[in-house]
Amino acid sequence: MNFTNLQLLEQRICTKEHFIALMQQSTEPVTTSFVNPFSAKVLTQQPELIQSIDHFYVDGGLYVKLYNLFNRNKPKLNRCSFDFSSVATDFFNYCQSTGIKIALVGAKDSEIDAAINNIQQRYPKLNIAYSRHGYFNDEQQRQQCFADITASGATALICGMGTPHQEKFILAARQACPTLRFLTTCGGFLTQSALDIDYWHPVMNRLGLRWLQRAVQHSHVRDRILRDYPLFIWHYLIYALRHRNKQRPSA
């Protein structure tokens, strides 16, 4: 892992309260994304994405614990994830109450309609102005998607394609869609919502074992937990200790 780029990423990490305030108060186009041990590794390999996204939030409990342990001089983080155990509830409540038009892009063709149906069961007055699955055969399809988002009048974009595709998409959308004001990634939220609006089992959610539920249900999550997460812990400990040593005043 590139420690210089990890430090760059952590300079853009904000609190959950910041996300909630930002979605309500932003007047200029703003891009946000969420990081966990897997996506952090991917992003540190592409520092141009880190520099281009306006704000990041930590959606993994492991990363939150490590960050708070080694950054006690900074505001304490709480897990901030775009799902119904975290800020998705605040986001959709706000959009429904204010009539904000939303564009949803992500998941598979077979999943996006089911996700929308489930979301609108909980938020019947939510204005979903545009939706599309997250797979494109060529650049022409992507440009048509941007044109359709603009024509819909959507001012908020939720994109779930996985890192780094979703970050690249919202950055391109910010340039191509003049109506958009708030653009955020959502990881696997749309796929999860297609399965069940109450995706998280209450016990798993209460005990903070969401990672275990996803590992049981999704093989790619199991692979990441077994392969990428132990490496992230090791690399983060090295990074944090080196960073702390650099901050110590010389005798």
Side-chain angles (χ1 to χ4, degrees), residues 80-101:
C80 182
S81 177
F82 199 95
D83 61 32
F84 287 123
S85 70
S86 188
V87 295
T89 299
D90 301 282
F91 181 83
F92 287 129
N93 279 332
Y94 178 72
C95 290
Q96 179 171 256
S97 65
T98 56
I100 289 175
K101 292 183 177 182

Side-chain angles (χ1 to χ4, degrees), residues 107-108 110-119 188-197 199:
K108 297 177 181 178
S110 59
E111 295 171 332
I112 187 64
D113 288 340
I116 291 171
N117 288 336
N118 287 338
I119 291 169
F189 169 73
L190 294 174
T191 295
Q192 294 167 12
S193 297
L195 296 173
D196 193 334
I197 193 66
Y199 175 79

Side-chain angles (χ1 to χ4, degrees), residues 38-50:
F38 172 77
S39 59
K41 184 188 79 169
V42 175
L43 287 169
T44 56
Q45 297 168 350
Q46 302 187 46
E48 69 281 0
L49 291 180
I50 298 175

